[in-house]
Amino acid sequence: MKILAIESSCDETSAAVVGKKNNKIIVLSNVTATSLAIHSKTGGIIPENAAREQVKYIIPVITQALNESNGNTSQDWKSAREILQNDIDAIAVTYGPGLIGSLLVGVETARTLSFMFDKPLIPVNHLIAHLFANFIDSKSRQTKSTITFPFIGLIVSGGHTDLLYFESESKFKWLGGTRDDAAGEALDKIGRLLGLSYPAGPEIEKRAKLASSTLLRFKSPLSGNETFDFSFSGLKTEVLRFTQKTTLNETVINEVCFAVQKAVIDVLVKKTLKAAEKYSCNTILLGGGVSANQTLKKELNRRVKSENRSIQIFSPEKMYCTDNGAMVGAYTLLNPKQKSWKDVNANPELYFL
Ligand code: KG4
Ligand code: ZN
């Protein structure tokens, strides 16, 4: 089964062709255009700008993904159309959550293609797709074939922070999530306070490694709380107060980055491991942009080792941590719930139904 998968929930326009070979999920192409440079200038995403860029990119990205899946470097719709007609079994699309304008571009394009080419359509929850990016096979990552259910999923992105318990591909329970800012959102907002460019997550990780002193501490929000909820807006306020009474220079900024990253990671690690214990899971899957953070994964592994627990931790390959079409295709191959194009609509408020 070969899937054309489309992702357009925020500022990335992505299309992929994904298939199964020897029971492994193989990415035949994954093409992503991003409007990040535009959002860097405005210090964050302006939804209307993001939607306008989606309109610009969606057809070229789909055309390229279809052509590349056949080893074809052409940007020609004629050859792409033939591949879609002859090789593709179904179309998958992210239908939420996300920005309504951005989502509409992907969903309406997918509906049109489904109707015109008479292909089944599969609507996919963006957040769940982030976790299932872990099931994508590649030469550089041999371990993913050993992912077993049940698992605890930690979704950490620019818009979401959620903990879930997965019994199977389609059966899961939401355990908790952020009460205010998402982890990535907090890093991005704090980055702005420190004068870093958007999105700040990767730079905060780099600068944290350069910190000459690691004594500065910010509170890990809701860390001692019994629930699986998170809260990161207080951390942003704490950093704001700190920056108002401190002269910022490179040394101080690096120390703040270390302390902020530590505060965020500490609470993520603590609650994820608590969830694994409560639900007797030996597998943890990370997903979303913040799961590209190597320190998060290292700290989880360090804690598992120091507590003598046998838990395996997975995070997607870096290119599949941030928004991409391949993750949408990967989830579809594991849970192909087809619908008529008439019944698929963008849902910006979609959560875990
Ligand atoms: O999943 P994603 O691409 O978009 C959403 O669905 O939100 O995540 C983007 C987020 C941004 O907040 C960005 O700062 C964060 O992921 N991010 C990171 C790293 N790489 C991206 N945060 C911490 N460390 C990183 N290495
Ligand atoms: Zn995302």
Side-chain angles (χ1 to χ4, degrees), residues 202-219:
E203 191 175 347
I204 290 180
E205 181 177 20
K206 270 190 216 137
R207 283 178 172 271
K209 287 188 186 133
L210 301 173
S212 43
S213 162
T214 55
L215 296 175
L216 181 64
R217 288 282 181 273
F218 295 120
K219 281 190 215 88

Side-chain angles (χ1 to χ4, degrees), residues 273-289:
L273 291 179
K274 197 171 96 177
E277 190 177 4
K278 181 165 176 189
Y279 289 90
S280 307
C281 287
N282 291 329
T283 306
I284 291 171
L285 264 57
L286 309 178

Side-chain angles (χ1 to χ4, degrees), residues 19 31 70 94 103 111 114 145 161 215 264 271 340:
V31 178
N70 231 10
T94 294
L103 283 169
R111 276 162 51 105
S114 163
S145 49
T161 304
L215 296 175
V264 171
K271 297 217 170 185
S340 158

Side-chain angles (χ1 to χ4, degrees), residues 12 126 130 156-160 184-185 187-188 199-202 205 261 288-290 292-294 321-323:
E12 265 99 21
H126 175 80
H130 265 308
V156 266
S157 72
H160 297 271
E185 184 182 2
L187 294 174
D188 295 339
E205 181 177 20
Q261 181 176 268
V290 183
N293 187 296
Q294 290 304 307
C321 284
T322 47
D323 294 350

Side-chain angles (χ1 to χ4, degrees), residues 48 65 85 134 138 165 170 202 290 331:
E48 205 179 309
Q85 186 74 70
N134 283 288
S138 81
Y165 166 67
S170 55
V290 183
Y331 185 54

Side-chain angles (χ1 to χ4, degrees), residues 168-218:
S168 69
E169 288 85 354
S170 55
K171 203 166 173 214
F172 60 87
K173 184 180 167 180
W174 180 78
L175 306 178
T178 184
R179 295 180 183 175
D180 40 59
D181 290 351
E185 184 182 2
L187 294 174
D188 295 339
K189 286 178 175 170
I190 289 168
R192 186 137 49 138
L193 294 175
L194 300 173
L196 311 182
S197 58
Y198 175 88
E203 191 175 347
I204 290 180
E205 181 177 20
K206 270 190 216 137
R207 283 178 172 271
K209 287 188 186 133
L210 301 173
S212 43
S213 162
T214 55
L215 296 175
L216 181 64
R217 288 282 181 273
F218 295 120

Side-chain angles (χ1 to χ4, degrees), residues 123-144:
V124 173
N125 181 319
H126 175 80
L127 300 174
I128 296 177
H130 265 308
L131 287 179
F132 281 75
N134 283 288
F135 287 84
I136 294 172
D137 197 70
S138 81
K139 286 194 188 81
S140 62
R141 219 173 147 260
Q142 301 300 337
T143 45
K144 72 219 106 346

